[in-house]
Amino acid sequence: KELLVATGNRGKLKELEELLSGVVERVRSLADFPEIGAAVEDGATFEANAIKKARHAAQASGLPAIADDSGLVVDVLDGRPGVFSARFAGEGAGDGANNARLLTELAAVQKEQRGAAFCCAIAFCLPGGECRTFSGEVRGTILSTPAGEGGFGYDPLFLVPEYGKTMAELPLTVKNRISHRGRAFALLKEYLATYRG
Ligand code: ITT
């Protein structure tokens, strides 16, 4: 069985490929389908955006596809940046600029008020258009200075209390076990075990 992973984010792709190893026979990426353009991510929720991306990729490729829409939901920012996490510091902003923006917005916020969650929705779509979504979440605290070289995005600022380490300080296998993406993926995996396509 082949599965297309529809993401342009290299950090996500690496994590999803690791999670999928042994689950599907062959993982394809958008690199194999240069003709597939980006889907418009104008949904109000992670689930809606994940479906937009996966449905577009499945229809254009003729393969079952998954897409991940995820982000950081910060308590004191009333849930921002949420679905806008990739462009918190503006369209095309990189991880560095987004992290800097987060630190600026939280500059006056005390440690106890810096709670946040990483949220992830993974959509699985068939070429015919049928989709399912699976969601996961992990809670943590936003630090004032980055730590760690692993992961991507906001990981260096996201402290996982149970480990006393940031997501960027945890090995990929550990991050995948506890993360929003890992949790959403576990539900997808259960579903795929029963799916006969
Ligand atoms: P695709 O849509 O092509 O998959 P993207 O980077 O645009 O890639 P999103 O719209 O879902 O993806 O944005 C998610 C953003 O949330 C991402 O850019 C990160 O900054 C952040 N994010 C998501 N998961 C994360 C994780 O595991 N660790 C750190 N940051 C994460």
Side-chain angles (χ1 to χ4, degrees), residues 6-9 12 15 41 53 68-72 83 85-86 95 98 118 152-155 175 180-181:
T7 178
N9 182 313
K12 276 188 197 176
E15 292 177 11
E41 286 179 56
K53 291 187 274 191
D68 161 316
D69 200 69
S70 46
L72 183 68
V83 292
S85 293
D95 290 345
N98 287 332
F118 270 136
F152 66 98
Y154 299 97
D155 282 343
K175 181 180 172 186
H180 51 319
R181 184 164 298 105

Side-chain angles (χ1 to χ4, degrees), residues 127-195:
E130 189 198 331
C131 297
R132 307 258 166 163
T133 60
F134 308 90
S135 302
E137 190 180 313
V138 60
R139 283 202 58 87
T141 303
I142 306 302
L143 298 180
S144 303
T145 50
E149 305 293 324
F152 66 98
Y154 299 97
D155 282 343
L157 291 175
F158 191 95
L159 182 80
V160 187
E162 294 84 350
Y163 287 80
K165 288 184 175 172
T166 69
M167 279 291 191
E169 291 177 302
L170 295 173
L172 176 61
T173 49
V174 176
K175 181 180 172 186
N176 269 346
R177 209 161 56 228
I178 64 166
S179 77
H180 51 319
R181 184 164 298 105
R183 288 177 179 171
F185 185 85
L187 299 175
L188 167 69
K189 194 174 162 182
E190 262 176 49
Y191 174 74
L192 287 178
T194 61
Y195 160 76

